[in-house]
Amino acid sequence: MENKMFCFQCQETAGGKGCTICGVCGKKPEVAAMQDLLVYTLKGLSVVTTRLRGEGKPVSADVNHLVTVNLFITITNANFDRAAIIRAIHKTLKTKCELLAQLADKSNLPEAALWDGDEAEFDAKAVTVGVLATANEDVRSLRELIIYGLKGLAAYSKHANALMQDNAEIDAFIQSALAKTLDDTLDANALTALVLETGKYGVDGMALLDKANTAAYGNPEITEVELGVRNNPGILISGHDLRDLEMLLEQSAGQGVDIYTHSEMLPAHYYPAFKKYPHFAGNYGNAWWKQKEEFEAFNGPILMTTNCVVPPAESYRARLWTTGAAGFPGCNHISGEYGETKDFSAIIEQAKTCQPPKQLETGKIVGGFAHEQVFALADKVVEAVKSGAIRKFVVMAGCDGRMKSREYYAEFAKKLPKDVVILTAGCAKYKYNKLPLGDIGGIPRVLDAGQCNDSYSLALIALKLKEVFELKDINDLPLCFNIAWYEQKAVIVLLALLYLGVKNIHLGPTLPAFLSPNIAKVLVENFGIAGIGTVDEDLRLFFGE
Ligand code: SF4
Ligand code: SF3
């Protein structure tokens, strides 16, 4: 059968090879086509902006933001709205045409930089510009590895931009790297170097977002988060955008409505700035993939600020709202540019007509172990390592997902030797953050730094330990990496760790389908990247038992 689409950017891709009929995530071929075309037009725009910079001409922050938000739109589970993606393509093409006119040297531009079709041509064009347009599977593999890393980096940049923090160097890199994915003169070696450079900017991007978050909301601190519900109607906020949460909390104060976090928004509770809101009630539910049952039970409106959106059931579609890069056809979307205050009043009014959430669980969980909090505890941690009370740390950051094989991570956490501590970030934690794993001399055995981008904190903690223990190499620490991935933010986190020199990362539950056998071999040989085995095999491998 002829492919209707081809996408292999996430871990759940069909058959571990590629989605060709419809996305496992629910992405339809007509949406996949527009995402492919949007990426293509962004590459074209990026060729133009990169050349403009080379000519010493400025590229505005608005153009940089257009690139990051539009890349963000194409990450897994962010935006399923074909009409919204078509609008993004029009805007990209219009911007490209305006900038093209400013170029002094228009020689030898690739087709993507010149193409300016009208909407009637979009579908036909999309067929020719997707992932499979690169015939050589190793070049394709490297190009897509870079593009997926850039998508993750763009998402993190966008969150920092929403807090009015920019790093023009990161934007220039995103665009020059996107442009290079069109360059047929770059061989596998040049592209491999670009993969690592993407990792460098991944570190910078996460640092930028860390600075933006902590400057705006303070440093995360140890916090107990309530899992039960109250008696008022609630609004559930999901995704990663803290600025959206701040606006929602402000606008809903004193309205008889409570605000609950979902999935990747849980770490918002750790920030001092959000603690002042008495109606910031707690966390509801689990990782993204359980949202169908949990959103049904929540009863009130749900605001998706970013990925991961699961196509909603009819029963709660009218209660599902999107904003920013997120979108779903038929759901209300709240707009708002950088620096503007978004108007969430319609969501708050809807909440007032809803029943309070149905209770799913009770109790509390603890988190807030980002870099400053862990540094404040450094003496205690170092003492515990020196005394042997803590034998090893295992970084289990990343994503959760619906595949049964991910039960591995819950089992692995349960069976860990009692003197091992988990360092986590991202929604991967929902596989074990509610297990009674106890503590070691007051240090919890699951230390949650925050969202997936807060993997940056885990890297800083590792570097700090390296300094304290006077080690030359980060790989000499009593630390191992068993990371779960799902979407492209995890790809940039992985590339950032590789750039920092971390070796022997185990990546599961399966290795990316977009790694060709040759490229996978390069990663195995140079970085010791490996998949996962059985829980018992891996416990033996990591801890000798
Ligand atoms: Fe398939 Fe993942 Fe692409 Fe969705 S994002 S179409 S599940 S590979
Ligand atoms: Fe999760 Fe989607 Fe990746 Fe930010 S919310 S980690 S999967």
Side-chain angles (χ1 to χ4, degrees):
M1 190 192 302
E2 200 193 330
N3 287 348
K4 286 189 175 162
M5 60 184 274
F6 186 84
C7 180
F8 62 173
Q9 66 176 353
C10 85
Q11 188 272 325
E12 291 185 359
T13 194
K17 290 199 157 47
C19 294
T20 56
I21 312 286
C22 179
V24 172
C25 60
K27 182 161 82 178
K28 300 230 166 74
E30 55 271 26
V31 173
M34 290 307 101
Q35 290 190 356
D36 287 348
L37 189 63
L38 179 55
V39 170
Y40 175 75
T41 58
L42 289 167
K43 289 176 186 171
L45 170 62
S46 295
V47 169
V48 176
T49 57
T50 303
R51 198 176 281 194
L52 272 177
R53 286 190 183 93
E55 291 181 358
K57 293 173 184 147
V59 175
S60 71
D62 285 348
V63 173
N64 293 339
H65 294 168
L66 180 74
V67 174
T68 47
V69 80
N70 283 352
L71 274 179
F72 197 170
I73 280 176
T74 70
I75 79 173
T76 301
N77 290 343
N79 203 311
F80 296 81
D81 187 351
R82 179 176 154 103
I85 301 166
I86 288 176
R87 283 195 296 277
I89 295 169
H90 282 303
K91 213 168 158 189
T92 306
L93 286 174
K94 183 166 176 278
T95 305
K96 196 263 310 284
C97 288
E98 286 163 10
L99 294 178
L100 195 56
Q102 296 174 22
L103 262 188
D105 175 11
K106 294 195 184 68
S107 62
N108 299 321
L109 285 169
E111 200 244 348
L114 301 168
W115 186 77
D116 182 29
D118 65 38
E119 202 171 314
E121 298 166 62
F122 282 7
D123 281 298
K125 185 69 186 171
V127 173
T128 67
V129 300
V131 169
L132 300 175
T134 302
N136 179 300
E137 77 165 349
D138 296 331
V139 174
R140 182 196 307 150
S141 177
L142 288 165
R143 284 180 175 175
E144 296 307 317
L145 176 56
I146 293 160
I147 291 168
Y148 302 151
L150 295 174
K151 289 186 182 191
L153 175 54
Y156 292 156
S157 299
K158 197 256 164 194
H159 290 308
N161 300 158
L163 291 165
M164 310 311 283
Q165 300 267 359
D166 278 83
N167 178 333
E169 269 180 41
I170 296 176
D171 290 303
F173 172 76
I174 291 175
Q175 292 158 36
S176 77
L178 261 187
K180 283 179 186 163
T181 65
L182 290 171
D183 185 344
D184 291 328
T185 67
L186 297 180
D187 62 6
N189 285 337
L191 289 170
T192 305
L194 189 55
V195 168
L196 275 196
E197 202 184 352
T198 307
K200 177 207 173 294
Y201 284 94
V203 176
D204 294 351
M206 286 192 279
L208 177 71
L209 180 52
D210 182 79
K211 187 177 93 182
N213 285 339
T214 55
Y217 307 122
N219 275 300
E221 51 195 28
I222 303 179
T223 306
E224 282 196 321
V225 181
E226 180 64 50
L227 299 176
V229 299
R230 299 179 186 171
N231 294 327
N232 300 316
I235 298 172
L236 191 56
I237 177 166
S238 190
H240 303 68
D241 199 299
L242 297 181
R243 175 68 187 129
D244 287 333
L245 171 69
E246 182 186 18
M247 290 186 275
L248 181 65
L249 283 168
E250 264 166 21
Q251 292 171 32
S252 57
Q255 305 248 17
V257 166
D258 290 323
I259 306 298
Y260 295 83
T261 53
H262 169 258
S263 192
E264 275 286 71
M265 201 55 90
L266 157 69
H269 291 277
Y270 313 154
Y271 287 89
F274 300 128
K275 293 187 176 170
K276 65 173 186 258
Y277 297 99
H279 65 306
F280 193 28
N283 190 67
Y284 190 83
N286 292 281
W288 64 272
W289 59 279
K290 289 193 174 166
Q291 64 187 250
K292 271 208 166 128
E293 303 96 274
E294 293 178 351
F295 287 3
E296 179 80 56
F298 185 73
N299 291 331
I302 303 118
L303 174 62
M304 301 299 306
T305 65
T306 69
N307 59 314
C308 278
V309 180
V310 171
E314 216 32 69
S315 57
Y316 66 86
R317 184 182 291 224
R319 290 193 276 118
L320 191 78
W321 300 69
T322 60
T323 189
F328 197 88
C331 292
N332 287 303
H333 185 86
I334 306 279
S335 56
E337 295 300 319
Y338 298 93
E340 284 178 13
T341 302
K342 293 182 183 177
D343 180 2
F344 291 126
S345 57
I347 303 181
I348 297 164
E349 287 313 309
Q350 187 186 55
K352 290 177 184 169
T353 68
C354 296
Q355 292 296 311
K358 183 175 150 200
Q359 183 141 291
L360 297 178
E361 55 195 332
T362 56
K364 290 182 167 147
I365 45 175
V366 180
F369 296 92
H371 51 88
E372 289 311 298
Q373 179 64 82
V374 175
F375 294 171
L377 295 171
D379 290 349
K380 207 169 162 183
V381 173
V382 169
E383 195 38 55
V385 174
K386 284 192 174 150
S387 74
I390 294 179
R391 177 166 36 135
K392 211 163 181 174
F393 297 92
V394 52
V395 174
M396 292 176 72
C399 311
D400 198 9
R402 55 198 136 195
M403 274 188 175
K404 265 246 159 292
S405 53
R406 287 183 187 260
E407 276 310 307
Y408 163 96
Y409 295 101
E411 272 308 294
F412 186 84
K414 277 187 218 159
K415 285 188 157 180
L416 273 180
K418 299 283 170 274
D419 52 4
V420 173
V421 170
I422 296 173
L423 300 177
T424 194
C427 66
K429 61 173 145 290
Y430 285 95
K431 277 283 185 281
Y432 43 79
N433 66 347
K434 294 169 186 173
L435 297 175
L437 295 179
D439 62 89
I440 299 176
I443 302 167
R445 287 188 56 231
V446 179
L447 298 180
D448 177 23
Q451 298 178 333
C452 46
N453 44 287
D454 295 309
S455 299
Y456 175 69
S457 264
L458 303 182
L460 287 190
I461 292 165
L463 292 170
K464 181 78 175 178
L465 289 174
K466 178 183 144 206
E467 182 191 313
V468 173
F469 291 110
E470 297 176 0
L471 299 170
K472 282 210 184 66
D473 188 337
I474 199 167
N475 297 295
D476 294 335
L477 281 168
L479 179 71
C480 53
F481 287 79
N482 195 3
I483 287 181
W485 82 286
Y486 171 60
E487 38 73 55
Q488 298 79 51
K489 292 176 175 180
V491 175
I492 193 63
V493 170
L494 175 73
L495 297 185
L497 291 174
L498 296 185
Y499 169 75
L500 290 172
V502 175
K503 296 254 162 50
N504 303 323
I505 296 173
H506 289 252
L507 192 63
T510 53
L511 290 180
F514 55 80
L515 295 180
S516 67
N518 285 331
I519 302 309
K521 198 162 156 248
V522 170
L523 292 179
V524 171
E525 282 170 3
N526 295 334
F527 301 101
I529 295 243
I532 57 170
T534 67
V535 169
D536 290 334
E537 278 164 9
D538 289 351
L539 287 170
R540 264 197 305 280
L541 186 72
F542 287 124
F543 312 105
E545 55 184 71

